[in-house]
Amino acid sequence: MAPFRYDPLSGSQLDNPYPMYQRMRDKCPIFFDETRNVWVVTRHADVLTVALDPETYSSENAVRLSAGDEPDEVREVLRQGWSLTPNLTESDGEQHRQLRAMVGRVFTPGKVAQLDPFIRKTIDELVDGFIDAGHTDIIERYAWPLPLITMARILGIPQDDVPQLHQWSYDWLRLSESAHALPDRVKYAHSVVAMQHYIMDLFQDKEATDGDDLISLLLQSAQEAAMDTVQVMQLVMNLIIAGHVTVTRAIGNGIVTLLDHQLDVRESQLDEQRTKTMVDEILRFESPVQGLFRTVMTDTELGGARLRRGDRVMVHWGAANRDERVISDPEGFDIERRTSRHNLAFGRGIHACLGAPLARLQLQIAIPRLFERLPGLRLASPDSWIRDRILIARGFVSLELRWDQREKTTDGMALMTPRQGLQTP
């Protein structure tokens, strides 16, 4: 019997899971969670072993806690659409290599760097929309719109459709978990099917034009490779969802962590190198993707535990990123720490996140720029956030912030109101 109670969605562990992660690494690094019927792998070395061995540990159903069938009512809804897999996250072997090759050229550091002006313009437009209010839910008004607007630009999706895509994406994530009541799961399934049909309809519009956006390029590549358009839809859906939820969570996690440590990270105070290490440290310290699942393909041993074919394994990036066996003072937050060599926030191996350069660029601009434009940025109150309750992720559903509000004088000059409220949690 394990010398601890692992309940990651309970109040105390949801608020601060890291003491539990340390106990797991120390006492039972390959832990079988009987409640969820999954092995949880927490030590850095063991997580790497799984991530670097796709032959033994399949990524099929990597996002779903259970690889089993959905209830009949949910399946009936999903039959109105198409299969959710394969996609970049949940595929293996040649299939994965083909999908990765189709989009890999778009997410190189050089290509991503060309988006810098658009990202900066989008950031300032978003901030302009709420700066005069003196307060906002930064998740709702900034953290999710930015990466999804950016991904929509890359894919060639109308910006007016971005809010709907966000809701569908969130419902897709909820459907991937088995903890929700049947009526909710049916609702989430309807959202998933609606998103699939939206993308397929979008393909028809794209085929009538000769665009240079990513969807148009993917459709052209699929035609040359004799690939079904359904596979392209699965790929695009994966890019929309994975392409924004990680950045959304990292922005929220980063803001709260930086406020907690009372660090001056205004754009004007950071050089390029320090900005990069700050973002990497945020991703390590509060990994937005806490882990993903693998399926054991053949009987094997991992860290002294015997795993059987068909067993489900969770590679826990969040726990591994605080492993003192690899990282010095892992519970400390140091924005000058160079962690990229050991940082598992974006995975490792053939399934390492393809969009990592784009995610890092958005974070390197979005966080310092926000602190620069919102002087006196602080939490609205000690309980100004609501955490998301998703097993594989760590972030916020909402995060209320305040800052020093501008006032206009009679001659049109801007003044700052007196600072009020709390700086840190």
Side-chain angles (χ1 to χ4, degrees), residues 165-229:
L165 290 170
H166 173 65
Q167 184 59 56
W168 284 337
S169 298
Y170 195 78
D171 288 348
W172 181 91
L173 286 168
R174 291 299 191 188
L175 185 64
S176 71
E177 299 200 315
S178 57
H180 300 282
L182 181 58
D184 290 331
R185 297 187 67 74
V186 170
K187 183 186 76 169
Y188 301 150
H190 278 293
S191 290
V192 169
V193 171
M195 188 175 185
Q196 290 180 324
H197 282 279
Y198 167 87
I199 295 171
M200 294 295 277
D201 290 344
L202 192 62
F203 286 176
Q204 293 184 353
D205 296 338
K206 295 291 184 183
E207 288 169 348
T209 61
D210 188 21
D212 60 356
D213 54 77
L214 181 53
I215 286 180
S216 297
L217 296 176
L218 289 174
L219 290 170
Q220 294 167 18
S221 297
Q223 189 174 26
E224 295 167 1
M227 180 185 290
D228 194 318
T229 54

Side-chain angles (χ1 to χ4, degrees), residues 362-377:
Q362 291 177 91
L363 294 169
Q364 287 162 9
I365 302 172
I367 294 175
R369 186 63 177 157
L370 191 72
F371 277 83
E372 186 75 40
R373 293 207 57 193
L374 304 180
L377 189 65

Side-chain angles (χ1 to χ4, degrees), residues 53-106:
D53 186 2
E55 299 297 325
T56 303
Y57 303 97
S58 168
S59 289
E60 187 174 351
N61 293 308
V63 180
R64 290 170 54 86
L65 173 60
S66 172
D69 291 334
E70 291 281 2
D72 291 343
E73 295 88 341
V74 175
R75 281 190 291 166
E76 185 63 31
V77 174
L78 292 176
R79 287 193 191 102
Q80 300 169 30
W82 297 268
S83 172
L84 301 178
T85 58
N87 55 56
L88 271 173
T89 308
E90 300 176 288
S91 59
D92 294 313
E94 183 57 36
Q95 192 173 57
H96 176 76
R97 285 188 287 273
Q98 183 182 28
L99 293 173
R100 197 173 180 95
M102 289 180 69
V103 296
R105 289 170 292 179
V106 176

Side-chain angles (χ1 to χ4, degrees), residues 201-401:
D201 290 344
L202 192 62
F203 286 176
Q204 293 184 353
D205 296 338
K206 295 291 184 183
E207 288 169 348
T209 61
D210 188 21
D212 60 356
D213 54 77
L214 181 53
I215 286 180
S216 297
L217 296 176
L218 289 174
L219 290 170
Q220 294 167 18
S221 297
Q223 189 174 26
E224 295 167 1
M227 180 185 290
D228 194 318
T229 54
V230 172
Q231 290 180 274
V232 183
M233 178 272 291
Q234 293 161 338
L235 178 56
V236 170
M237 196 165 172
N238 188 210
L239 290 172
I240 293 170
I241 298 168
H244 89 275
V245 296
T246 299
V247 175
T248 296
R249 293 190 177 103
I251 289 174
N253 292 342
I255 290 170
V256 171
T257 302
L258 291 163
L259 289 177
D260 187 40
H261 289 79
Q262 302 183 28
L263 296 173
D264 184 359
V265 293
R266 288 173 296 161
E267 190 176 43
S268 59
Q269 302 302 305
L270 298 176
D271 60 23
E272 182 179 359
Q273 183 57 46
R274 199 159 178 243
T275 301
K276 289 180 178 179
T277 58
M278 176 193 71
V279 166
D280 278 350
E281 181 70 346
I282 288 169
L283 291 166
R284 180 200 70 83
F285 192 74
E286 287 274 29
S287 302
V289 180
Q290 289 283 284
L292 291 171
F293 302 105
R294 299 289 187 262
T295 301
V296 179
M297 301 304 291
T298 185
D299 292 358
T300 189
E301 183 175 318
L302 179 66
R306 293 295 304 171
L307 308 184
R308 304 298 181 187
R309 175 180 172 83
D311 282 356
R312 297 282 284 164
V313 171
M314 181 181 184
V315 281
H316 210 300
W317 314 124
N321 271 335
R322 297 252 191 148
D323 191 347
E324 65 278 7
R325 295 161 188 79
V326 175
I327 298 163
S328 175
D329 186 25
E331 303 303 319
F333 181 72
D334 179 1
I335 65 171
E336 297 186 5
R337 186 201 305 262
R338 302 199 177 196
T339 67
S340 57
R341 179 181 167 204
H342 300 297
N343 198 330
L344 299 178
F346 288 120
R348 197 61 64 90
I350 66 168
H351 282 91
C353 178
L354 194 65
L358 176 60
R360 284 194 172 96
L361 177 63
Q362 291 177 91
L363 294 169
Q364 287 162 9
I365 302 172
I367 294 175
R369 186 63 177 157
L370 191 72
F371 277 83
E372 186 75 40
R373 293 207 57 193
L374 304 180
L377 189 65
R378 56 197 180 270
L379 298 177
S381 69
D383 56 352
S384 64
W385 64 57
I386 300 174
R387 282 207 173 272
D388 208 351
R389 300 178 68 87
I390 295 180
L391 182 65
I392 65 171
R394 182 160 176 79
F396 299 93
V397 175
S398 66
L399 176 60
E400 294 285 341
L401 299 179

